[in-house]
Amino acid sequence: MRELALTPDNPHLSSPTKCVGQPENEQFALNCTHEMSLSTLPEQISPAGPPDSEAVDDLVRHSIASSTRVAYASDLKHFAEWGGVLPASPDMVAAYVAAYAGKLSVATITRRVATLSKAHQAMAGNNPCQSALVKATLQGLRRKHGTAQKQAKALTREDLFAVLDAMGDSMKNTRDRALLLLGFAGGFRRSELVGLDVADIEHVRQGIIITLRHSKTDQEGAGRKIGIPYGRSRHCPVAAVTDWLTRSGITVGAIFRPITRHGHLQAERLSGDAVSEVIRERLAAAGIDPEGYSGHSLRAGFATSAAQAGASTIKIRQQTGHTSDAMLSRYIRDGELFIGNAAGAVL
């Protein structure tokens, strides 16, 4: 099944379009393969002059992040495999929610309903996801099954240092040391970390400045600069990155790349999943149970450790790029449980 993109040129999300051979009054299914031409787009979307189909299609595709398009396609495919069709009725969406209550997480079901909502918005028709029935069904789902989300364990400073102390001096060790220290010091998401290029690093007197050209919260590429200072401990992120680039001979392109089991450096960029694998592998080698850790553990660990060290939320957010204290609090709440603990004052 080809990808179902939530864009105006998607035949699955345009109600005026029918599949070949489709009865006049029949709802179209999500697996319809009819190709919609530019001329069938709504007037407010079609260009006023001679249409440049490829140029318009390219811009429309870039209006949504690629990872978001993949998630939308996955959600719509799941709905179709269940038996759903677009446009859907409130009864159908509510039945879909009920079918997976207790089988999928509340967050996953809620996200899939949000995708269906966006699909219906793109069709400019009635949105069943905004109906009282669907809203009540979702509320009942949250009440019955709870809304707690499983979060990655934070790789705090102490555990990170234990991991680094257990590492050797091979090529892969040098790469992983730089990966872990830079990821932690910058509070980076794994996608941000593996997306870094050599050109994104600027050496200054205090350390290095990383230019983050794209991120989850900066899809338009405005960019953000993050300072990585020289470390005051035995593990310095600036020295680790410098050592890695010198040893690997990388001067352009991706900073972090795969290494074969024979120690040969590959040309392609390291994947986000590989970051998770590195973290779990290194934790296990240091005698720490890797269960519950992921690529997000570096980011969570930095926020937690910085809060424990007394850093203000403003300064932590400057590093991590969180848009609000509420978002940041999901990371540092556990780390602050014992700071100024009331029980500690009386026991």
Side-chain angles (χ1 to χ4, degrees):
M1 179 176 178
R2 63 190 183 89
E3 178 177 308
L4 301 173
L6 263 179
T7 59
D9 61 343
N10 186 342
H12 309 303
L13 306 184
S14 181
S15 53
T17 305
K18 295 193 302 157
C19 295
V20 177
Q22 177 185 350
E24 188 69 31
N25 297 322
E26 182 178 287
Q27 292 177 322
F28 62 82
L30 259 65
N31 60 358
C32 166
T33 57
H34 174 73
E35 294 293 339
M36 185 172 75
S37 68
L38 188 67
S39 62
T40 63
L41 292 174
E43 183 177 347
Q44 65 269 28
I45 297 178
S46 300
D52 183 348
S53 151
E54 291 186 5
V56 173
D57 287 350
D58 180 64
L59 291 176
V60 170
R61 280 194 298 272
H62 281 81
S63 69
I64 302 175
S66 59
S67 58
T68 303
R69 287 200 303 273
V70 170
Y72 284 167
S74 175
D75 292 342
L76 291 175
K77 180 181 179 182
H78 187 268
F79 183 65
E81 289 175 345
W82 171 75
V85 295
L86 292 183
S89 67
D91 286 343
M92 177 177 286
V93 177
Y96 175 65
V97 171
Y100 292 100
K103 299 176 183 177
L104 298 176
S105 70
V106 173
T108 296
I109 296 174
T110 302
R111 189 199 71 225
R112 286 179 171 159
V113 171
T115 296
L116 292 174
S117 180
K118 286 193 174 293
H120 285 87
Q121 288 172 11
M123 294 166 61
N126 293 329
N127 187 348
C129 304
Q130 296 298 318
S131 68
L133 174 61
V134 172
K135 288 181 177 179
T137 304
L138 287 173
Q139 185 177 13
L141 174 74
R142 289 188 287 267
R143 282 177 174 268
K144 183 175 181 179
H145 296 281
T147 57
Q149 288 184 258
K150 187 177 180 180
Q151 296 182 349
K153 286 185 179 179
L155 180 56
T156 58
R157 177 183 184 273
E158 291 73 18
D159 287 342
L160 174 63
F161 278 22
V163 166
L164 296 170
D165 287 340
M167 292 170 62
D169 195 37
S170 68
M171 176 78 108
K172 189 172 185 295
N173 281 312
T174 303
R175 183 205 65 183
D176 291 354
R177 183 177 292 106
L179 181 78
L180 294 173
L181 278 168
L182 185 61
F184 182 88
F188 292 123
R189 299 177 177 88
R190 65 180 188 174
S191 59
E192 296 169 347
L193 188 58
V194 299
L196 294 175
D197 289 338
V198 175
D200 298 329
I201 297 180
E202 177 187 356
H203 289 267
V204 294
R205 180 175 56 83
Q206 301 94 332
I208 57 176
I209 296 175
I210 300 291
T211 299
L212 197 61
R213 304 188 187 280
H214 289 278
S215 70
K216 181 180 178 181
T217 55
D218 179 24
Q219 297 295 340
E220 296 183 2
R224 185 168 65 87
K225 292 183 181 292
I226 301 99
I228 308 294
Y230 287 107
R232 296 179 295 174
S233 69
R234 63 189 180 278
H235 296 298
C236 172
V238 178
V241 171
T242 302
D243 288 347
W244 163 242
L245 292 177
T246 300
R247 185 166 184 177
S248 65
I250 297 173
T251 57
V252 294
I255 295 175
F256 298 112
R257 307 178 186 192
I259 298 174
T260 69
R261 60 180 179 176
H262 301 296
H264 299 305
L265 185 67
Q266 304 296 290
E268 65 267 22
R269 192 179 299 276
L270 199 68
S271 70
D273 288 339
V275 176
S276 300
E277 293 173 9
V278 166
I279 291 172
R280 288 192 287 265
E281 175 187 311
R282 293 302 179 180
L283 282 164
I288 301 172
D289 184 2
E291 183 67 29
Y293 289 90
S294 72
H296 224 63
S297 294
L298 292 173
R299 181 172 171 83
F302 167 77
T304 300
S305 299
Q308 290 174 339
S312 69
T313 56
I314 292 177
K315 288 299 182 182
I316 297 174
R317 283 170 51 197
Q318 279 182 351
Q319 202 76 351
T320 62
H322 282 102
T323 55
S324 68
D325 283 353
M327 292 298 295
L328 180 62
S329 68
R330 294 192 305 168
Y331 294 92
I332 65 176
R333 188 179 298 118
D334 289 350
E336 291 186 323
L337 288 176
F338 295 96
I339 299 177
N341 188 288
V346 296
L347 293 176

